[in-house]
Amino acid sequence: MFLEEIKLTQYRNYEAAEVGFSEGINVFLGENAQGKTNLMEAIYVLAMTRSHRTSNDKELIFWNQEFAKISGRVQKKNTSFPLEITISNKGKKAKFNHLEQKKLSDYLGKLNVILFAPEDLSLVKGSPSIRRKFLDMEMGQMNPIYLHHLVSYQHILKQRNQYLKQLMMKRAKDLTFLEVLTEQLAIHGAEILKERFSFVKKLEKWAQPIHHEISRERENLVIEYQCSLQITDELDKEQIYLDLLAAFEKGRKRELDQGSTIVGPHRDDLRFMVNEQNVQTYGSQGQQRTTALSVKLAEIDLMKDITGEYPILLLDDVLSELDDERQTHLLKAIENKVQTFLTTTSLDGIKKHILQAPRVFQVASGHVEMESE
C-alpha cells in the first residue's frame, strides 16, 4: 500500500498544495513552523479522519475560511482509489472512491498508517490513557468489528456514567435502567477485552525479537494486558461477559457512591516488562525508548500480518530523538518495504546511506517543492 499523491485545499497554513510521492522514502525538509508537520498531519487525517495533534477540527481550517479539504489517491494491491476528507463547521465528510460514507467508521482502514512522533516515546512512561489510545487507534484501523464495539461501548459508557451521577444525586431511582445499560456495556466490553488480549499477544510476538536485537541480546521484553478480570487464552467471550457482569455487581455500591463506572476496558492498561522488571517504573530512559521503538516497529509487521498490506509510516521529527543505534534499527526495519514520510529540519546526523533514493521536498511558508530524488 502506498499514497500516490495528496491535494490540500485551505488546510492549516496551506491555501492550496498538490504533491506526488515516491513509493519509498519521502523527506519533508525545512525550518520549524513552515508546514512540515501540517503536511504529515494531513496524511494522518486522510487515513484516520482525525488529527493526532488536536481534537478541535476548526484548527485544521485555513485562517478565515469555512472548510478544509484533503484528497489523495491510494495504491493498494492491484487497485487504485481516491480518498477525500472535508472538514467544516458543520462536521466532517469522508468519501471513498467518490462515495460519501454514512459513518466515519466505515471509512477507516482504507489507508493504514503508523505514526511515530517524539511523544510516542512516552508510550511506556506516560499515563494509562496514552496506552489505551494506542491500542484503540491501531486496532480500530485494522479491525472494523473492534471499532464497532469500541464506539458502542464508549456511547453506552457515557450514558451509564450520566445515569450513575443522577442516581448519586438522587435525581433518579430506577435501577432497572442501570441494569439494562450494564448488560449492554458488558456485551461490548467482552468483545473489546477478547480482541485486545489477542492483539497484545501478537504484538508481543513481533516486538520481542526486535527488542532482543536492539538491546544486543541482553534484554527480554514481555507485554502484559492489565485488566481487572483474569483473562486467559482459554476464556471465551461468553465467560468474559459473565465475569464483567459479576465485576459490575461487585462494584455497584462504589459506583453509586462515586457516580462513575469503575471497571471495564476504559480502565485497563498495558505493562512492559524487561528482564522481569517493570520498565515504566524501574527502566532507564534508554530502555524505555528501546521498548517504545520495538513496539512501533512490531506494528509494521503485525499490520502486514493482519491486513495483508504494509501500512505507510509517518516519522514526525523523531529521528533526531534516537541515538545512532536505534536510528539504524528503525531505518533498516523500513528498508525497501514501507512507504515512509519523515520530517526534519536537516539531513545532518541522519544515516543517509540507509535512506535509499529518498524524494526530498522543501517546505517553506505553506509551499512544497520537490528538491531531489
Side-chain angles (χ1 to χ4, degrees):
M1 171 189 305
F2 68 95
L3 182 62
E4 295 178 356
E5 61 186 22
I6 196 168
K7 183 178 179 182
L8 307 182
T9 306
Q10 297 170 175
Y11 184 85
R12 291 273 196 185
N13 66 330
Y14 289 92
E15 190 168 12
E18 192 166 356
V19 190
F21 298 124
S22 158
E23 292 181 42
I25 294 178
N26 299 272
V27 180
F28 301 147
L29 188 63
E31 299 298 319
N32 290 325
Q34 298 301 307
K36 301 189 302 297
T37 296
N38 290 346
L39 191 51
M40 189 78 86
E41 179 192 44
I43 298 172
Y44 188 86
V45 174
L46 185 67
M48 304 296 287
T49 75
R50 57 183 289 184
S51 168
H52 62 288
R53 300 159 69 199
T54 178
S55 58
N56 183 1
D57 287 338
K58 291 180 182 176
E59 294 178 16
L60 308 182
I61 302 174
F62 193 85
W63 174 252
N64 223 18
Q65 296 299 319
E66 295 182 353
F67 74 93
K69 185 187 291 184
I70 311 166
S71 53
R73 177 164 285 277
V74 176
Q75 180 75 37
K76 201 170 184 179
K77 291 184 178 173
N78 297 321
T79 184
S80 171
F81 53 83
L83 295 176
E84 183 180 294
I85 297 285
T86 303
I87 303 149
S88 71
N89 293 332
K90 297 177 182 176
K92 275 181 279 198
K93 290 182 180 178
K95 290 184 180 178
F96 165 59
N97 226 358
H98 304 295
L99 297 175
E100 185 174 337
Q101 305 295 291
K102 291 182 179 178
K103 299 177 183 175
L104 292 179
S105 56
D106 294 336
Y107 174 93
L108 286 175
K110 303 297 187 291
L111 172 63
N112 293 326
V113 298
I114 291 175
L115 171 70
F116 196 9
E119 56 265 30
D120 287 309
L121 295 172
S122 64
L123 177 67
V124 176
K125 64 180 180 182
S127 68
S129 64
I130 292 175
R131 291 181 283 279
R132 287 194 296 270
K133 182 181 177 184
F134 160 75
L135 285 176
D136 292 339
M137 294 301 288
E138 307 311 327
M139 293 176 66
Q141 63 173 318
M142 287 185 270
N143 186 341
I145 296 173
Y146 177 84
L147 186 62
H148 162 73
H149 289 295
L150 179 67
V151 171
S152 299
Y153 181 88
Q154 290 172 338
H155 177 70
I156 297 166
L157 178 66
K158 186 177 178 181
Q159 278 187 297
R160 191 173 188 271
N161 282 340
Q162 288 173 343
Y163 195 66
L164 281 168
K165 281 189 174 58
Q166 290 182 33
L167 290 168
M168 180 183 71
M169 299 169 74
K170 311 298 183 190
R171 293 176 180 170
K173 295 181 179 178
D174 186 7
L175 292 179
T176 304
F177 183 56
L178 179 63
E179 289 173 6
V180 171
L181 292 175
T182 301
E183 189 171 321
Q184 292 176 348
L185 198 66
I187 290 171
H188 296 292
E191 297 280 351
I192 292 169
L193 289 177
K194 185 67 177 174
E195 291 296 328
R196 279 187 183 174
F197 186 79
S198 173
F199 178 83
V200 171
K201 286 287 182 189
K202 291 175 183 173
L203 186 66
E204 180 189 66
K205 174 191 149 189
W206 286 105
Q208 276 183 334
I210 297 171
H211 190 101
H212 195 60
E213 186 179 346
I214 297 176
S215 65
R216 298 177 183 176
E217 303 182 355
R218 290 178 298 203
E219 296 178 356
N220 182 48
L221 173 67
V222 173
I223 307 176
E224 298 175 354
Y225 184 69
Q226 290 196 299
C227 174
S228 54
L229 306 181
Q230 291 292 324
I231 299 180
T232 63
D233 290 326
E234 292 73 31
L235 275 187
D236 59 20
K237 290 174 185 173
E238 178 64 19
Q239 188 58 54
I240 297 174
Y241 162 74
L242 294 173
D243 289 351
L244 257 181
L245 283 181
F248 285 131
E249 181 61 31
K250 186 178 178 182
R252 172 73 64 89
K253 186 176 183 310
R254 279 181 61 202
E255 288 190 331
L256 290 171
D257 290 342
Q258 297 179 13
S260 179
T261 304
I262 61 173
V263 295
H266 63 290
R267 294 293 185 101
D268 293 349
D269 196 2
L270 285 177
R271 182 163 66 176
F272 302 99
M273 305 292 290
V274 170
N275 293 345
E276 301 183 350
Q277 294 285 329
N278 186 339
V279 73
Q280 180 187 17
T281 307
Y282 302 106
S284 65
Q285 188 178 61
Q287 286 176 314
Q288 292 172 346
R289 287 188 172 215
T290 298
T291 301
L293 179 60
S294 302
V295 169
K296 281 291 176 181
L297 292 180
E299 275 190 87
I300 295 172
D301 288 310
L302 177 55
M303 202 169 279
K304 168 74 162 51
D305 189 46
I306 292 176
T307 67
E309 295 258 10
Y310 280 114
I312 66 173
L313 182 63
L314 309 178
L315 303 175
D316 188 10
D317 203 23
V318 77
L319 289 183
S320 60
E321 298 287 329
L322 301 174
D323 60 26
D324 283 354
E325 190 171 345
R326 293 184 180 89
Q327 194 182 112
T328 299
H329 275 282
L330 173 58
L331 296 176
K332 281 191 173 295
I334 63 179
E335 198 173 16
N336 297 327
K337 65 180 183 182
V338 182
Q339 186 187 29
T340 301
F341 299 85
L342 66 91
T343 64
T344 183
T345 55
S346 169
L347 288 172
D348 294 341
I350 294 178
K351 292 187 170 295
K352 285 178 275 191
H353 62 284
I354 303 177
L355 297 179
Q356 294 200 355
R359 186 174 291 183
V360 179
F361 299 90
Q362 282 285 348
V363 180
S365 302
H367 295 278
V368 188
E369 188 172 335
M370 191 169 81
E371 179 185 87
S372 64
E373 188 169 23

PDB file of all heavy atoms in Angstrom, residues 339-357:
ATOM      1  N   GLN A 339       6.360   2.450   2.553  1.00  0.00           N
ATOM      2  CA  GLN A 339       6.400   3.861   2.146  1.00  0.00           C
ATOM      3  C   GLN A 339       6.509   4.707   3.415  1.00  0.00           C
ATOM      4  O   GLN A 339       5.714   4.540   4.352  1.00  0.00           O
ATOM      5  CB  GLN A 339       5.140   4.256   1.373  1.00  0.00           C
ATOM      6  CG  GLN A 339       5.246   5.679   0.811  1.00  0.00           C
ATOM      7  CD  GLN A 339       3.954   6.183   0.185  1.00  0.00           C
ATOM      8  OE1 GLN A 339       2.869   5.781   0.592  1.00  0.00           O
ATOM      9  NE2 GLN A 339       4.069   7.067  -0.803  1.00  0.00           N
ATOM     10  N   THR A 340       7.497   5.595   3.423  1.00  0.00           N
ATOM     11  CA  THR A 340       7.801   6.331   4.649  1.00  0.00           C
ATOM     12  C   THR A 340       7.847   7.829   4.381  1.00  0.00           C
ATOM     13  O   THR A 340       8.360   8.270   3.355  1.00  0.00           O
ATOM     14  CB  THR A 340       9.165   5.871   5.216  1.00  0.00           C
ATOM     15  OG1 THR A 340       9.100   4.465   5.468  1.00  0.00           O
ATOM     16  CG2 THR A 340       9.490   6.591   6.513  1.00  0.00           C
ATOM     17  N   PHE A 341       7.286   8.582   5.308  1.00  0.00           N
ATOM     18  CA  PHE A 341       7.352  10.042   5.269  1.00  0.00           C
ATOM     19  C   PHE A 341       8.057  10.499   6.529  1.00  0.00           C
ATOM     20  O   PHE A 341       7.702  10.049   7.628  1.00  0.00           O
ATOM     21  CB  PHE A 341       5.941  10.646   5.220  1.00  0.00           C
ATOM     22  CG  PHE A 341       5.152  10.246   4.006  1.00  0.00           C
ATOM     23  CD1 PHE A 341       4.436   9.059   3.987  1.00  0.00           C
ATOM     24  CD2 PHE A 341       5.145  11.053   2.875  1.00  0.00           C
ATOM     25  CE1 PHE A 341       3.725   8.675   2.858  1.00  0.00           C
ATOM     26  CE2 PHE A 341       4.429  10.680   1.745  1.00  0.00           C
ATOM     27  CZ  PHE A 341       3.710   9.488   1.739  1.00  0.00           C
ATOM     28  N   LEU A 342       9.033  11.354   6.385  1.00  0.00           N
ATOM     29  CA  LEU A 342       9.704  11.861   7.582  1.00  0.00           C
ATOM     30  C   LEU A 342       9.922  13.356   7.473  1.00  0.00           C
ATOM     31  O   LEU A 342      10.176  13.888   6.393  1.00  0.00           O
ATOM     32  CB  LEU A 342      11.004  11.108   7.863  1.00  0.00           C
ATOM     33  CG  LEU A 342      12.197  11.198   6.924  1.00  0.00           C
ATOM     34  CD1 LEU A 342      13.105  12.338   7.357  1.00  0.00           C
ATOM     35  CD2 LEU A 342      12.982   9.898   6.966  1.00  0.00           C
ATOM     36  N   THR A 343       9.784  14.018   8.603  1.00  0.00           N
ATOM     37  CA  THR A 343      10.035  15.461   8.668  1.00  0.00           C
ATOM     38  C   THR A 343      11.346  15.699   9.403  1.00  0.00           C
ATOM     39  O   THR A 343      11.679  14.991  10.353  1.00  0.00           O
ATOM     40  CB  THR A 343       8.924  16.197   9.433  1.00  0.00           C
ATOM     41  OG1 THR A 343       8.919  15.759  10.792  1.00  0.00           O
ATOM     42  CG2 THR A 343       7.568  15.948   8.815  1.00  0.00           C
ATOM     43  N   THR A 344      12.068  16.690   8.950  1.00  0.00           N
ATOM     44  CA  THR A 344      13.305  17.053   9.634  1.00  0.00           C
ATOM     45  C   THR A 344      13.733  18.460   9.213  1.00  0.00           C
ATOM     46  O   THR A 344      13.378  18.918   8.128  1.00  0.00           O
ATOM     47  CB  THR A 344      14.441  16.040   9.321  1.00  0.00           C
ATOM     48  OG1 THR A 344      15.598  16.384  10.067  1.00  0.00           O
ATOM     49  CG2 THR A 344      14.780  16.032   7.842  1.00  0.00           C
ATOM     50  N   THR A 345      14.451  19.123  10.089  1.00  0.00           N
ATOM     51  CA  THR A 345      14.980  20.452   9.734  1.00  0.00           C
ATOM     52  C   THR A 345      16.294  20.337   8.984  1.00  0.00           C
ATOM     53  O   THR A 345      16.725  21.274   8.323  1.00  0.00           O
ATOM     54  CB  THR A 345      15.198  21.310  10.995  1.00  0.00           C
ATOM     55  OG1 THR A 345      16.040  20.579  11.888  1.00  0.00           O
ATOM     56  CG2 THR A 345      13.886  21.620  11.686  1.00  0.00           C
ATOM     57  N   SER A 346      16.945  19.160   9.104  1.00  0.00           N
ATOM     58  CA  SER A 346      18.224  18.966   8.437  1.00  0.00           C
ATOM     59  C   SER A 346      18.499  17.480   8.264  1.00  0.00           C
ATOM     60  O   SER A 346      18.108  16.665   9.106  1.00  0.00           O
ATOM     61  CB  SER A 346      19.340  19.608   9.265  1.00  0.00           C
ATOM     62  OG  SER A 346      20.604  19.221   8.765  1.00  0.00           O
ATOM     63  N   LEU A 347      19.176  17.122   7.177  1.00  0.00           N
ATOM     64  CA  LEU A 347      19.559  15.719   6.976  1.00  0.00           C
ATOM     65  C   LEU A 347      20.877  15.393   7.676  1.00  0.00           C
ATOM     66  O   LEU A 347      21.296  14.240   7.693  1.00  0.00           O
ATOM     67  CB  LEU A 347      19.674  15.418   5.479  1.00  0.00           C
ATOM     68  CG  LEU A 347      18.327  15.360   4.731  1.00  0.00           C
ATOM     69  CD1 LEU A 347      18.555  15.260   3.228  1.00  0.00           C
ATOM     70  CD2 LEU A 347      17.482  14.196   5.216  1.00  0.00           C
ATOM     71  N   ASP A 348      21.503  16.425   8.249  1.00  0.00           N
ATOM     72  CA  ASP A 348      22.736  16.171   9.003  1.00  0.00           C
ATOM     73  C   ASP A 348      22.414  15.297  10.217  1.00  0.00           C
ATOM     74  O   ASP A 348      21.428  15.516  10.913  1.00  0.00           O
ATOM     75  CB  ASP A 348      23.349  17.487   9.490  1.00  0.00           C
ATOM     76  CG  ASP A 348      23.827  18.339   8.328  1.00  0.00           C
ATOM     77  OD1 ASP A 348      24.009  17.789   7.224  1.00  0.00           O
ATOM     78  OD2 ASP A 348      23.988  19.559   8.525  1.00  0.00           O
ATOM     79  N   GLY A 349      23.247  14.333  10.465  1.00  0.00           N
ATOM     80  CA  GLY A 349      23.039  13.480  11.631  1.00  0.00           C
ATOM     81  C   GLY A 349      22.138  12.298  11.348  1.00  0.00           C
ATOM     82  O   GLY A 349      21.967  11.415  12.190  1.00  0.00           O
ATOM     83  N   ILE A 350      21.529  12.269  10.151  1.00  0.00           N
ATOM     84  CA  ILE A 350      20.696  11.125   9.776  1.00  0.00           C
ATOM     85  C   ILE A 350      21.525  10.185   8.916  1.00  0.00           C
ATOM     86  O   ILE A 350      22.296  10.619   8.069  1.00  0.00           O
ATOM     87  CB  ILE A 350      19.440  11.596   9.010  1.00  0.00           C
ATOM     88  CG1 ILE A 350      18.552  12.405   9.951  1.00  0.00           C
ATOM     89  CG2 ILE A 350      18.674  10.426   8.436  1.00  0.00           C
ATOM     90  CD1 ILE A 350      17.311  12.975   9.297  1.00  0.00           C
ATOM     91  N   LYS A 351      21.379   8.927   9.141  1.00  0.00           N
ATOM     92  CA  LYS A 351      22.178   7.943   8.411  1.00  0.00           C
ATOM     93  C   LYS A 351      21.701   7.865   6.963  1.00  0.00           C
ATOM     94  O   LYS A 351      20.908   7.006   6.588  1.00  0.00           O
ATOM     95  CB  LYS A 351      22.088   6.585   9.117  1.00  0.00           C
ATOM     96  CG  LYS A 351      22.772   6.595  10.476  1.00  0.00           C
ATOM     97  CD  LYS A 351      22.812   5.224  11.074  1.00  0.00           C
ATOM     98  CE  LYS A 351      23.716   5.216  12.307  1.00  0.00           C
ATOM     99  NZ  LYS A 351      25.119   5.490  11.999  1.00  0.00           N
ATOM    100  N   LYS A 352      22.200   8.803   6.175  1.00  0.00           N
ATOM    101  CA  LYS A 352      21.693   8.973   4.812  1.00  0.00           C
ATOM    102  C   LYS A 352      21.990   7.771   3.922  1.00  0.00           C
ATOM    103  O   LYS A 352      21.271   7.522   2.963  1.00  0.00           O
ATOM    104  CB  LYS A 352      22.288  10.247   4.206  1.00  0.00           C
ATOM    105  CG  LYS A 352      21.654  11.523   4.772  1.00  0.00           C
ATOM    106  CD  LYS A 352      22.268  12.778   4.203  1.00  0.00           C
ATOM    107  CE  LYS A 352      23.507  13.150   4.973  1.00  0.00           C
ATOM    108  NZ  LYS A 352      24.019  14.487   4.648  1.00  0.00           N
ATOM    109  N   HIS A 353      23.056   7.012   4.258  1.00  0.00           N
ATOM    110  CA  HIS A 353      23.377   5.888   3.381  1.00  0.00           C
ATOM    111  C   HIS A 353      22.302   4.794   3.466  1.00  0.00           C
ATOM    112  O   HIS A 353      22.198   3.953   2.574  1.00  0.00           O
ATOM    113  CB  HIS A 353      24.742   5.303   3.767  1.00  0.00           C
ATOM    114  CG  HIS A 353      24.815   4.739   5.148  1.00  0.00           C
ATOM    115  ND1 HIS A 353      24.902   5.531   6.264  1.00  0.00           N
ATOM    116  CD2 HIS A 353      24.785   3.468   5.595  1.00  0.00           C
ATOM    117  CE1 HIS A 353      24.964   4.754   7.343  1.00  0.00           C
ATOM    118  NE2 HIS A 353      24.882   3.510   6.955  1.00  0.00           N
ATOM    119  N   ILE A 354      21.486   4.830   4.532  1.00  0.00           N
ATOM    120  CA  ILE A 354      20.408   3.836   4.648  1.00  0.00           C
ATOM    121  C   ILE A 354      19.152   4.328   3.928  1.00  0.00           C
ATOM    122  O   ILE A 354      18.315   3.546   3.498  1.00  0.00           O
ATOM    123  CB  ILE A 354      20.107   3.545   6.132  1.00  0.00           C
ATOM    124  CG1 ILE A 354      21.379   3.067   6.833  1.00  0.00           C
ATOM    125  CG2 ILE A 354      19.023   2.489   6.275  1.00  0.00           C
ATOM    126  CD1 ILE A 354      21.201   2.812   8.308  1.00  0.00           C
ATOM    127  N   LEU A 355      19.053   5.655   3.796  1.00  0.00           N
ATOM    128  CA  LEU A 355      17.903   6.222   3.085  1.00  0.00           C
ATOM    129  C   LEU A 355      18.138   6.065   1.586  1.00  0.00           C
ATOM    130  O   LEU A 355      18.822   6.866   0.973  1.00  0.00           O
ATOM    131  CB  LEU A 355      17.736   7.703   3.421  1.00  0.00           C
ATOM    132  CG  LEU A 355      17.438   8.079   4.868  1.00  0.00           C
ATOM    133  CD1 LEU A 355      17.341   9.587   4.989  1.00  0.00           C
ATOM    134  CD2 LEU A 355      16.161   7.431   5.359  1.00  0.00           C
ATOM    135  N   GLN A 356      17.589   5.029   1.001  1.00  0.00           N
ATOM    136  CA  GLN A 356      17.842   4.763  -0.403  1.00  0.00           C
ATOM    137  C   GLN A 356      16.943   5.634  -1.281  1.00  0.00           C
ATOM    138  O   GLN A 356      15.728   5.553  -1.215  1.00  0.00           O
ATOM    139  CB  GLN A 356      17.620   3.289  -0.695  1.00  0.00           C
ATOM    140  CG  GLN A 356      18.637   2.416   0.015  1.00  0.00           C
ATOM    141  CD  GLN A 356      18.758   1.051  -0.590  1.00  0.00           C
ATOM    142  OE1 GLN A 356      18.031   0.690  -1.494  1.00  0.00           O
ATOM    143  NE2 GLN A 356      19.687   0.272  -0.075  1.00  0.00           N
ATOM    144  N   ALA A 357      17.572   6.450  -2.113  1.00  0.00           N
ATOM    145  CA  ALA A 357      16.894   7.296  -3.097  1.00  0.00           C
ATOM    146  C   ALA A 357      15.658   7.979  -2.525  1.00  0.00           C
ATOM    147  O   ALA A 357      14.545   7.788  -3.016  1.00  0.00           O
ATOM    148  CB  ALA A 357      16.496   6.453  -4.305  1.00  0.00           C
TER     149      ALA A 357
END
